[in-house]
Amino acid sequence: MNTLSVPFEPTEHPHRRYNPLMDEWVLVSPHRTKRPWQGQVEKLPPEVRPAYDPTCYLCPGNERAGGARNPDYTSTFVFENDFAALLPEGPRGDLDAGSFFHTQAETGVCRVICFSPRHDLTLGEMERAEIRPVVDVWCDQVTELGSRPEIAYVQLFENRGAMMGASNPHPHGQLWSNYRVPQVPAVEDRQQAAYFAEHGRPLLVDYLAAEVEAGARIVVENTSWVALVPFWAVWPFETLVLPRRHVTQMPDLSADERDGLADLLKRLLTRYDNLFETSFPYSMGWHGQPTDGGEYSHWQLHAHFYPPLLRSATVRKFMVGYELLANAQRDITAEQAAARLREQSEAHYRTQTV
Ligand code: H2U
Ligand code: ZN
């Protein structure tokens, strides 16, 4: 029921938006962006880091906490996490000790992926030709671990910046791979399967076509990839990265698409850094089809970027009170966030390289 005589205007009026990938809603409160802001808009002094840090456990040649020594690697380097959250060997079991105490044993493999031997760079500050091997390593890890019968899902991710809990500024990501498909990809699987059953096409393939037609939420694109602020974004500058072609998992990317991804990541991450002239913190990760041998043509590969910053290098969004207890919420609309990111230069504010 419309209680006002003025028409509903999503740029003015509080509203809810539906996320079909997760079957969730987000509350959008655009009128709040007009409230006065008296907080500081701080710029942080640029962090100066050495190209090699003798105390870093990820730099080439250095010793790690567990006593292992890194090789003198010159590109990417992958090792088993010395403090892995999952262990490869262990009992398999299902304990149903009464309806409230259901427990499943879980096994898996956790690895750390160093993106570069250079301690002082971030993924976005690396050259396209240096990002491409990172793409290849992501693909190869999914192929290798996904071929194991005891691995149903390979979750690739990166926590960047102290604000996101990254333990070390050396450019690196992680992978955790499980015997069972974890929570979020399991919901995405269910949602994509339901959409495919109804429409005969993958949900995110149709969604990308609709977004390209709408245009308002697109941030960066090239011939093989698009980065956009999803209609249902929760984090202020959240983005979704999608291939233009229907691809269910990373290893299926062609050589051109891998180069295209290196280009898209370089440009997206540069825009992120330029937005508040800071090394932009985020958690990002890839969602591809499970690797348990099932039929997954309803899947579409994609990456999520979840950056916490809202107003400046130091003012972040918190997921607290209402978000924890009732519903995810945002103030600036997805369209406003996309416009801000589109305004940014693709020359990095520190290095001026494009
Ligand atoms: P994060 O920065 O995203 O926390 O990743 C670093 C990982 O590196 C973390 O999971 C592991 C931690 O367990 N690690 C090692 O495997 N060896 C070490 O010597 C220190 C940290
Ligand atoms: Zn280092």
Side-chain angles (χ1 to χ4, degrees), residues 96-110:
D96 207 348
S99 46
F100 295 113
F101 307 108
H102 194 180
T103 309
Q104 294 181 328
E106 185 59 276
T107 54
V109 174
C110 299

Side-chain angles (χ1 to χ4, degrees), residues 19 21-22 153 155-158 184-185 188 192 204 228 230 232 235 237-242 268 272 282-288 299-307:
N19 175 350
L21 192 57
M22 288 299 293
Y153 200 79
Q155 181 60 59
L156 300 161
F157 65 99
E158 177 191 5
V184 175
E188 289 193 351
Q192 292 179 96
L204 288 177
L228 54 89
W232 54 78
W235 293 93
F237 294 96
E238 174 178 337
T239 51
L240 182 67
V241 174
L242 286 160
L268 175 64
Y272 270 156
Y282 58 74
S283 275
M284 70 81 67
W286 286 98
H287 284 151
W299 260 86
Q300 174 69 331
L301 173 72
H302 59 279
H304 299 277
F305 280 83
Y306 297 129

Side-chain angles (χ1 to χ4, degrees), residues 154-232:
V154 183
Q155 181 60 59
L156 300 161
F157 65 99
E158 177 191 5
N159 296 319
R160 172 169 155 197
M163 196 177 268
M164 292 313 288
S167 59
N168 184 327
H170 193 113
H172 70 284
Q174 297 191 45
L175 73 79
W176 295 16
S177 56
N178 299 46
Y179 177 61
R180 294 186 177 83
V181 181
Q183 183 75 26
V184 175
V187 173
E188 289 193 351
D189 179 55
R190 190 187 72 207
Q191 292 297 110
Q192 292 179 96
Y195 184 95
F196 195 85
E198 190 177 337
H199 301 273
R201 293 179 308 274
L203 188 163
L204 288 177
V205 170
D206 279 4
Y207 174 63
L208 179 61
E211 284 290 19
V212 166
E213 197 181 326
R217 285 168 295 273
I218 307 288
V219 175
V220 202
E221 53 188 323
N222 60 26
T223 54
S224 46
W225 293 86
V226 178
L228 54 89
V229 179
F231 178 75
W232 54 78

Side-chain angles (χ1 to χ4, degrees), residues 51-53 56-60 62 73 117-120 168-171:
Y52 167 76
D53 177 349
C56 168
Y57 61 79
L58 298 177
C59 274
N62 291 359
Y73 65 97
R118 286 272 301 269
H119 186 80
D120 56 334
N168 184 327
H170 193 113

Side-chain angles (χ1 to χ4, degrees), residues 297-334:
S297 48
H298 53 279
W299 260 86
Q300 174 69 331
L301 173 72
H302 59 279
H304 299 277
F305 280 83
Y306 297 129
L309 291 181
L310 174 62
R311 263 178 223 280
S312 71
T314 57
V315 180
R316 62 165 293 169
K317 175 176 176 60
F318 287 97
M319 288 288 180
V320 289
Y322 192 80
E323 281 96 339
L324 287 179
L325 290 153
N327 208 124
Q329 186 273 345
R330 63 182 290 129
D331 291 349
I332 72 163
T333 64

Side-chain angles (χ1 to χ4, degrees), residues 115-116 118 121-134 262-263 265-266 351 353-354:
F115 296 155
S116 162
R118 286 272 301 269
L121 298 178
T122 61
L123 186 60
E125 287 167 338
M126 290 160 57
E127 301 295 333
R128 286 168 179 75
E130 297 164 338
I131 302 173
R132 168 63 198 267
V134 176
D263 171 70
L265 289 173
K266 172 89 185 157
T351 61
T353 53
V354 177

